[in-house]
Amino acid sequence: MDLQIIEQIDSQALQGSVEQFLEYLGHPTIIRLKGKNRRRRRMLCTLLHGNEPSGLQAIYHFLQQGLEPAVDIDIAIASVQTALTEPRFSYRMLPGKRDLNRCFQPPFNGDEGLLANNILEFIRETRPECLIDLHNTSGSGPAFAVAVLRDENHLALTSLWTNDLIVTDLRLGALMEISEQNVPTVTIECGGANDRPSLLIAKEGLQRYFQNEEVLAKPQENYAVTCYRNPVRLELKPGFQVAYTDDKYCDADITLSVDADRLNYGSLPPDEPIARLGPEGLRALQANNHLGEDVLEKHFCCRDQKLYARHTLKLFMVTTNKNIAEKDCLLYFIEGGLE
Ligand SMILES: [Zn+2]
């Protein structure tokens, strides 16, 4: 899929709504902004998922202000057609398509693979000093960052947006894995698409990222960032079904409350049920850690057909979206403690 490059935005395109701006783009786009310092550049990517609009809204807000960034900025807006498909901003990816943020590794097959490869080639050619990939979380919840490396540069980039950084050794083909090719990259999950603070976090972080002279680590600076290493994905096994309801007679393989995303980020004690399980009990679930070990029974048990943690766990990215829960995962949890 072609990536259009825009160096000059038609001023008319900034007069209407965000949706009209997206219609004006029409395709996956890179917008190139000229900064005060033309010798350096940073990159920001957003809308890899079509139902995560906060990044796009924050960009639109920044463009409307007509500010000059500190350095050159390239902004990639990826899943434009997905977001424009009615009902707008409702599809993570279109039916039958791959998750774009799992496509940044070979083989670069299909439209999504080609688009991911085009974005990677642009990054290799332009060599930005860093990259932020801006998302909304699947469920409701606070903002956090994700990276594959935890050095000072990744902490510094995180601190522009949030104080929590998840460091993962999992490699799924996400854009942030380009950190391993010397482009410090942090994924920012600025909170749920419908959470009120998300847009504010996106706007304020973006302002700092575009306008600060330096965003990478400064010597002797202490970044107040808490790191969590290697979260585990709690997944449904293929073919099993989840339901979100408070109806006691639902017979799904796992039934979570409609407000299960309230579990996000709290400490979950072992005496608090997470969900109701169906006749297959724990057999409907799996939880493979980054080493590929199934740690489900190490951390969870089934009592009275209910799912409990065996010890206090920290949960995040608990979704209440059935589609995401079945195709991606139910939630993430931290095996070890804080780091
Ligand atoms: Zn996303």
Side-chain angles (χ1 to χ4, degrees):
M1 199 181 286
D2 280 349
L3 193 54
Q4 75 177 332
I5 311 263
I6 296 185
E7 310 233 357
Q8 196 70 46
I9 299 166
D10 184 348
S11 63
Q12 280 291 319
L14 299 173
Q15 307 293 323
S17 65
V18 170
E19 287 189 35
Q20 285 166 327
F21 177 64
L22 203 60
E23 286 168 17
Y24 159 77
L25 300 179
H27 303 277
T29 302
I30 290 182
I31 299 171
R32 308 204 72 178
L33 301 181
K34 295 186 181 73
K36 290 194 183 84
N37 180 346
R38 302 292 325 271
R39 290 185 304 280
R40 290 161 52 199
R41 69 172 54 82
R42 297 171 197 152
M43 189 158 171
L44 181 104
C45 183
T46 200
L47 213 63
L48 285 182
H49 297 135
N51 59 348
E52 300 176 5
S54 295
L56 175 73
Q57 288 162 344
I59 287 162
Y60 187 63
H61 176 78
F62 183 86
L63 294 175
Q64 281 185 314
Q65 295 176 80
L67 298 173
E68 186 181 42
V71 301
D72 281 5
I73 303 277
D74 292 317
I75 302 167
I77 302 172
S79 297
V80 174
Q81 289 107 327
T82 309
L84 282 173
T85 302
E86 299 280 353
R88 289 185 168 174
F89 298 112
S90 66
Y91 290 102
R92 181 182 173 91
M93 61 269 196
L94 291 176
K97 297 290 187 180
R98 293 166 68 200
D99 182 334
L100 183 54
N101 207 21
R102 299 288 180 269
C103 293
F104 291 92
Q105 64 186 5
F108 296 107
N109 293 332
D111 288 347
E112 302 75 42
L114 290 174
L115 175 57
N117 196 29
N118 285 341
I119 293 172
L120 289 175
E121 274 179 10
F122 180 88
I123 296 168
R124 283 188 203 108
E125 277 166 24
T126 57
R127 304 208 55 80
E129 61 187 22
C130 50
L131 168 61
I132 293 288
D133 181 19
L134 190 47
H135 290 247
N136 286 108
T137 46
S138 306
S140 189
F144 60 93
V146 192
V148 296
L149 299 176
R150 63 151 298 177
D151 57 19
E152 290 295 306
N153 283 335
H154 290 79
L155 297 183
L157 288 170
T158 297
S159 72
L160 298 171
W161 311 78
T162 164
N163 299 319
D164 290 303
L165 173 65
I166 287 156
V167 183
T168 175
D169 292 322
L170 261 184
R171 298 295 178 267
L172 300 166
L175 178 56
M176 65 179 171
E177 292 162 28
I178 199 166
S179 277
E180 293 174 316
Q181 296 171 40
N182 293 323
V183 184
T185 301
V186 173
T187 300
I188 300 294
E189 301 277 357
C190 70
N194 300 317
D195 294 349
R196 204 180 291 204
S198 304
L199 180 56
L200 193 66
I201 290 166
K203 278 183 185 171
E204 290 186 346
L206 186 138
Q207 194 87 14
R208 290 186 277 263
Y209 185 60
F210 286 4
Q211 301 295 84
N212 288 5
E213 285 299 315
E214 301 295 335
V215 293
L216 293 174
K218 299 181 194 123
Q220 261 101 54
E221 182 93 19
N222 230 334
Y223 298 100
V225 173
T226 310
C227 292
Y228 308 91
R229 190 143 210 140
N230 286 325
V232 183
R233 296 153 58 85
L234 179 64
E235 300 173 324
L236 272 171
K237 284 187 186 156
F240 288 95
Q241 290 192 335
V242 63
Y244 292 91
T245 171
D246 294 314
D247 171 6
K248 285 200 182 79
Y249 302 101
C250 177
D251 60 358
D253 300 297
I254 179 166
T255 305
L256 286 108
S257 166
V258 287
D259 64 349
D261 50 9
R262 76 182 188 287
L263 299 169
N264 269 322
Y265 261 92
S267 287
L268 177 84
D271 55 1
E272 183 177 339
I274 305 164
R276 274 184 297 114
L277 294 171
E280 294 289 321
L282 285 179
R283 283 186 296 279
L285 301 175
Q286 60 189 19
N288 294 328
N289 69 12
H290 65 289
L291 301 172
E293 302 158 345
D294 190 344
V295 294
L296 180 72
E297 302 211 18
K298 190 170 149 198
H299 301 292
F300 295 94
C301 58
C302 176
R303 288 199 307 269
D304 305 326
Q305 288 305 109
K306 289 189 188 125
L307 179 68
Y308 288 90
R310 286 189 187 276
H311 39 249
T312 301
L313 288 178
K314 198 165 170 85
L315 307 185
F316 58 95
M317 287 188 82
V318 182
T319 186
T320 52
N321 180 321
K322 177 176 164 69
N323 211 10
I324 290 170
E326 289 175 357
K327 293 214 171 83
D328 193 42
C329 69
L330 294 156
L331 55 86
Y332 287 72
F333 64 93
I334 310 277
E335 252 195 293
L338 302 183
E339 184 181 301

